[in-house]
Amino acid sequence: MGNQLDRITHLNYSELPTGDPSGLEKDELRVGVAYFFSDEEEEVEDRTPSDCGYTKDHSPVQEEGEEEEEGGPFTVNEVEYSAFCSQECIFSKLRDHEDLNVYSVKTLVTMCKPGDLLELVAAAQPPHWAVYEQDDHVIHLHKGQIRKDRLSEISNGRHGRIVNNRYRYRPLPPDLVMQNAAGHLGLSTEDICWTNSESFAAWCRFGKREFKAGGEAHSSAQQQYFLKVHVSGSGVHAHTLVFRSLEDMIRERRLVDASGILRELSLVNGDKP
């Protein structure tokens, strides 16, 4: 936690009182802290499933004598979210409402279709998003460049899942998703307007300019985005934060994924783990 606190002290931030569009009572609201930073997706050394924070999901009943598959599903301890623009839910990552299990890359490839959005996850690291092409190949933004790689080569021990329905926007047809992704291959930082892999992959699938840095500036009406960070087992239902752009909200959420800052702050404030 000490290193993360050192990092925070060097960031520009503003505390904003937040309202919750889903109808929480006043005593359940929290003050949101909006951090603005440059998203960095670092290379990950090869890891074992336990290093990445995965545990085997034993919930399915296995037949007698059947061996446990190494491909998954696995569960991972992670923060859950929902997000709103005005009164509309635009993003949901809640274990009660969807399958958040992850699978080995070998298994995941057998589940994918061209145009699918993939998310690679590991503990204490922002998730890495990519657009699945075919034959184990994905198109993704990595270290400031849009490139095509084999999923098996970029996973570095991470497991993944398909996240087509994470955002609630209407998706483009798969051929247009692939056209968006392939049309930007080879471009680098000075030519693109996405700051992380998630924003690029989501833009490819949904085509909304709000996923681009500065995309909100072209909107006719000023919008606010509300992010609910669900802290499981704590004394509150959620922390609610407010942002002026979708891009800023994505950045903050990825920072929480990488550090667990909000969870640790809730413990400091006296909430039970």
Side-chain angles (χ1 to χ4, degrees), residues 258-270:
S259 64
I261 288 175
L262 282 181
R263 181 180 182 278
E264 294 185 35
L265 288 180
S266 72
L267 297 182
V268 170
N269 289 333

Side-chain angles (χ1 to χ4, degrees), residues 4 14 30 39 75 105 115 136 145 158-159 161 169 203:
Q4 293 297 339
S14 59
R30 309 298 262 199
D39 194 327
T75 59
V105 166
D136 189 35
Q145 184 177 28
R158 290 173 291 185
H159 292 349
R161 56 194 168 208
Y169 300 120
W203 175 83

Side-chain angles (χ1 to χ4, degrees), residues 20 24-31 79-80 94 227-241 262-273:
D20 192 330
L24 284 178
E25 297 297 329
K26 291 183 179 179
D27 59 358
E28 296 174 325
L29 297 178
R30 309 298 262 199
V31 173
V79 182
E80 299 178 30
L94 299 173
L227 177 66
K228 286 179 60 179
V229 185
H230 299 259
V231 185
S232 60
S234 71
V236 295
H237 291 287
H239 296 268
T240 304
L241 297 85
L262 282 181
R263 181 180 182 278
E264 294 185 35
L265 288 180
S266 72
L267 297 182
V268 170
N269 289 333
D271 293 332
K272 295 181 181 180

Side-chain angles (χ1 to χ4, degrees), residues 187-255:
L187 297 184
S188 54
T189 302
E190 60 271 16
D191 305 311
I192 61 178
C193 46
W194 301 278
T195 60
N196 57 75
S197 62
E198 179 177 338
S199 294
F200 171 68
W203 175 83
C204 289
R205 182 166 176 83
F206 302 105
K208 294 185 70 65
R209 62 189 175 199
E210 287 83 357
F211 285 109
K212 297 181 178 182
E216 305 287 341
H218 302 286
S219 300
S220 57
Q222 186 174 356
Q223 301 184 106
Q224 286 188 323
Y225 294 87
F226 298 88
L227 177 66
K228 286 179 60 179
V229 185
H230 299 259
V231 185
S232 60
S234 71
V236 295
H237 291 287
H239 296 268
T240 304
L241 297 85
V242 64
F243 300 89
R244 292 184 178 180
S245 73
L246 180 60
E247 177 69 10
D248 288 339
M249 187 188 74
I250 292 172
R251 286 177 169 183
E252 171 68 10
R253 204 192 70 246
R254 293 170 64 80
L255 176 61

Side-chain angles (χ1 to χ4, degrees), residues 147-196:
R147 31 187 295 171
K148 179 162 71 172
D149 293 296
R150 287 189 175 277
L151 184 61
S152 55
E153 293 176 353
I154 67 170
S155 63
N156 292 316
R158 290 173 291 185
H159 292 349
R161 56 194 168 208
I162 299 171
V163 287
N164 291 338
N165 299 320
R166 186 67 57 80
Y167 285 95
R168 301 301 180 88
Y169 300 120
R170 177 177 296 180
L172 299 173
D175 58 330
L176 291 183
V177 176
M178 294 311 308
Q179 181 178 313
N180 283 342
H184 291 79
L185 276 172
L187 297 184
S188 54
T189 302
E190 60 271 16
D191 305 311
I192 61 178
C193 46
W194 301 278
T195 60
N196 57 75

